[in-house]
Structure formats: structure tokens, C-alpha cells
Amino acid sequence: DQQVKQNSPSLSVQEGRISILNCDYTNSMFDYFLWYKKYPAEGPTFLISISSIKDKNEDGRFTVFLNKSAKHLSLHIVPSQPGDSAVYFCAARAAGNKLTFGGGTRVLVKP
Amino acid sequence: DSGVTQTPKHLITATGQRVTLRCSPRSGDLSVYWYQQSLDQGLQFLIQYYNGEERAKGNILERFSAQQFPDLHSELNLSSLELGDSALYFCASSRSGMFTDTQYFGPGTRLTVL
């Protein structure tokens, strides 16, 4: 039962363009969402988060959008840089502090 | 560098054996989380401890157990190992363990069961 899904396993984008990563969830009890970035041989690194009371949160080149009615969130990276090449995980948290992760999307930014 | 340390980095063992993975949280963090990342399952939450007490449980098998010690380091014990237990095991820590806390991840321990 995958409560958090990232339907695109990979994404390729040109340097300087926008990267859009999508994430869908099914559990309406999720009320906090996070994005993590993971490089090979390293642990995930926290990137940006959003509470369910908001629909947008921005931090530099990274913006997360939340559409609660559609149970959908997205991460926009503008402009994309070669150093952004990594695997991105979305995660959702419900009461009880259990974090549920999506399967990840591998992003490749081409110079 | 997240400040979370995990040992060992790699572990190779045989089926039926028992291993212990160790995690030291960031200085000042009271909560420790354990995750398993396998090829076919993605990242799975196993268990959380806060200041020595179990706080939340995820998809942790009965063959697995964990504890957090008074100095706040944590150990994950995996017993009666099976081939399917081969995975990357991550530890994360956070300041207070509240659901709004950011979790900082260690580099992981890669377990290979032969």
C-alpha cells in the first residue's frame, strides 16, 4: 500500500531550465510534507517542507506547492544546476510522527 | 556533513546471523529514527526513539529491535538475518521529536546478507 507515490522515476532537464518533480498521496491524515535530496553513498538531506495549512513555500531556487484537494505536491527547482543532479524523495508525515516516503525521482541536469 | 554518524559503513554477513548497527545523533538532538532503504521498497520508516523511549513504530519486523541509550546514541539489532534484509539502513536525528522537526540523516550502513 503505497501512500506516497512519485510516479516519475527519472527526469532529465537542461541547465538553467525548470525542474518539476511531482508527488501524490492518498492518506488525508498527512499534514506535513517534506522534500529530501540524496546523492549516491550519502544519506538524504532535508531540502524544503510545507505544512498542510499552506499551499506554497519558497526557499531560494526551491518552491514546493501543495494542492490538498488533489492530494498532490510538487517541487520546482529554478534555475536547475548540474549540482542538483540527485535523487529526490518526497515524504509525508501524519500524527504519531511516522514519515512515509515516496520511491524517489532521479534528476539529471545536463550542462 | 549532517552531524549524524553511523557505524559500520559496510557489513557483510550470512543468513541466520545477528548484527548491530550503531548511530550517534547530532549534538543536542534527542530523537533518533531508523529507516531501511532496499531496492524494491524505497525508504521505509522503522522506528523512532525520543530521549530513550520508543516514540513511534513503523514497518519494523519482529526480528529487528532498537534502543536508545542514556548518552542518546542508538543501536538497531537485526537477528535471524535473511537475504531480503540486505539494504541500506539510515539513522536520522531531530531536536525534539515533534512532527514538525526536520530530520537529519546519517550516511547509512550498507548491510549485505549472503
Side-chain angles (χ1 to χ4, degrees):
Chain A
D1 173 26
Q2 267 191 296
Q3 297 188 54
V4 179
K5 280 187 186 176
Q6 294 175 253
N7 290 317
S8 299
S10 64
L11 173 69
S12 183
V13 65
Q14 208 64 37
E15 181 180 3
R17 305 297 292 267
I18 184 171
S19 294
I20 299 176
L21 291 82
N22 294 302
C23 181
D24 297 294
Y25 62 96
T26 57
N27 188 345
S28 56
M29 299 303 291
F30 290 143
D31 58 2
Y32 197 74
F33 303 89
L34 306 93
W35 284 93
Y36 287 84
K37 179 163 97 170
K38 185 181 180 303
Y39 293 117
E42 294 182 14
T45 304
F46 168 74
L47 204 53
I48 192 169
S49 63
I50 187 167
S51 164
S52 61
I53 61 173
K54 295 187 173 183
D55 54 19
K56 178 181 172 181
N57 188 27
E58 197 170 343
D59 183 3
R61 297 185 297 113
F62 302 92
T63 303
V64 56
F65 295 92
L66 176 62
N67 182 334
K68 279 189 72 177
S69 60
K71 294 192 177 69
H72 177 84
L73 66 154
S74 61
L75 175 69
H76 292 206
I77 307 173
V78 183
S80 300
Q81 299 174 354
D84 296 330
S85 296
V87 178
Y88 290 78
F89 292 95
C90 70
R93 193 163 1 201
N97 218 29
K98 177 177 171 177
L99 210 58
T100 303
F101 283 80
T105 296
R106 183 178 301 276
V107 172
L108 175 63
V109 180
K110 298 179 188 175
Chain B
D1 183 358
S2 67
V4 178
T5 59
Q6 289 185 248
T7 56
K9 281 189 94 166
H10 302 277
L11 200 48
I12 301 175
T13 188
T15 54
Q17 295 297 305
R18 173 190 164 96
V19 296
T20 297
L21 313 183
R22 184 188 166 104
C23 168
S24 292
R26 290 189 323 154
S27 175
D29 284 359
L30 297 178
S31 197
V32 168
Y33 310 75
W34 286 98
Y35 294 85
Q36 178 193 58
Q37 184 182 22
S38 53
L39 277 173
D40 57 345
Q41 291 284 324
L43 206 53
Q44 301 278 328
F45 168 72
L46 296 178
I47 197 164
Q48 179 207 1
Y49 278 81
Y50 173 73
N51 206 19
E53 301 286 328
E54 183 183 302
R55 172 67 70 92
K57 225 169 185 175
N59 303 323
I60 188 166
L61 300 172
E62 284 197 17
R63 299 184 285 109
F64 296 0
S65 65
Q67 54 183 327
Q68 186 180 27
F69 295 87
D71 67 353
L72 301 176
H73 90 271
S74 177
E75 291 181 356
L76 179 67
N77 301 296
L78 315 176
S79 61
S80 304
L81 284 168
E82 302 174 0
L83 295 177
D85 297 328
S86 295
L88 256 176
Y89 291 84
F90 288 105
C91 164
S93 73
S94 70
R95 192 66 60 179
S96 71
M98 291 177 65
F99 81 98
T100 49
D101 268 5
T102 298
Q103 296 178 27
Y104 295 88
F105 283 74
T109 293
R110 182 173 293 282
L111 173 66
T112 303
V113 183
L114 300 174

